[in-house]
Amino acid sequence: MAINRKQYDQIVREKSPSSPLGKDLLRAFLIGGAICALGQALLCLWGKAGLSQMEAASAASGTLIFLGALFTGLGLFDKLAKIAGAGTIVPITGFSNAIVSAALEFKSEGFILGMAAKMFTVAGPVLVFGISGSVLYGLLYVLLGGAA
């Protein structure tokens, strides 16, 4: 039985479960905000521990990366992501999850050819384009006279 594009779209709309958009947005906002608030609290705690602003920022980032990796390894990050949706892709924890989940997925292939080689399959393009973009921006900034 051949169907055209309009018929196919109609079947997809009828069979697809409806998404509670407002509820999804609220959850993403609240949980993503909670992750960011945790980052701010860590920054303040590290600052009160005697670190300079720059050191406290590095320590807070490292702590969030560690927590993201730990929660991924324990299987808790995926459970949180099912509830929070896009709220868990806060850049630092989402990046940590992307690297650790890829490493866990390929660990059965061995340490070097599995885990180490495949760890950056998801995050690799982000790194490449992020670094390339920042280098290009820096070059343009200097060439256009932004840096004296």
Side-chain angles (χ1 to χ4, degrees):
M1 162 164 111
I3 60 173
N4 64 28
R5 177 77 178 178
K6 281 187 176 182
Q7 292 170 323
Y8 176 77
D9 289 342
Q10 179 65 29
I11 291 170
V12 168
R13 274 193 299 278
E14 291 172 3
K15 301 292 181 185
S16 297
S18 62
S19 175
L21 185 61
K23 191 166 110 177
D24 290 348
L25 289 171
L26 182 63
R27 282 190 205 165
F29 175 77
L30 291 174
I31 294 174
I35 293 170
C36 293
L38 173 64
Q40 184 63 45
L42 288 168
L43 180 66
C44 292
L45 286 172
W46 284 115
K48 288 194 184 291
L51 288 121
S52 70
Q53 184 69 22
M54 184 70 82
E55 292 168 336
S58 296
S61 296
T63 304
L64 285 172
I65 291 168
F66 171 76
L67 290 174
L70 179 67
F71 276 41
T72 300
L74 296 174
L76 299 174
F77 199 95
D78 288 339
K79 291 177 184 176
L80 180 63
K82 285 185 185 194
I83 297 167
T88 56
I89 60 168
V90 173
I92 200 155
T93 54
F95 186 73
S96 176
N97 171 260
I99 291 174
V100 173
S101 60
L104 290 173
E105 183 178 343
F106 294 104
K107 73 178 181 181
S108 63
E109 295 180 24
F111 184 73
I112 300 297
L113 296 176
M115 189 179 77
K118 307 283 176 118
M119 189 169 10
F120 293 102
T121 55
V122 174
V126 175
L127 290 170
V128 168
F129 288 110
I131 292 167
S132 300
S134 65
V135 168
L136 180 62
Y137 175 79
L139 287 173
L140 287 173
Y141 186 76
V142 170
L143 291 174
L144 295 175

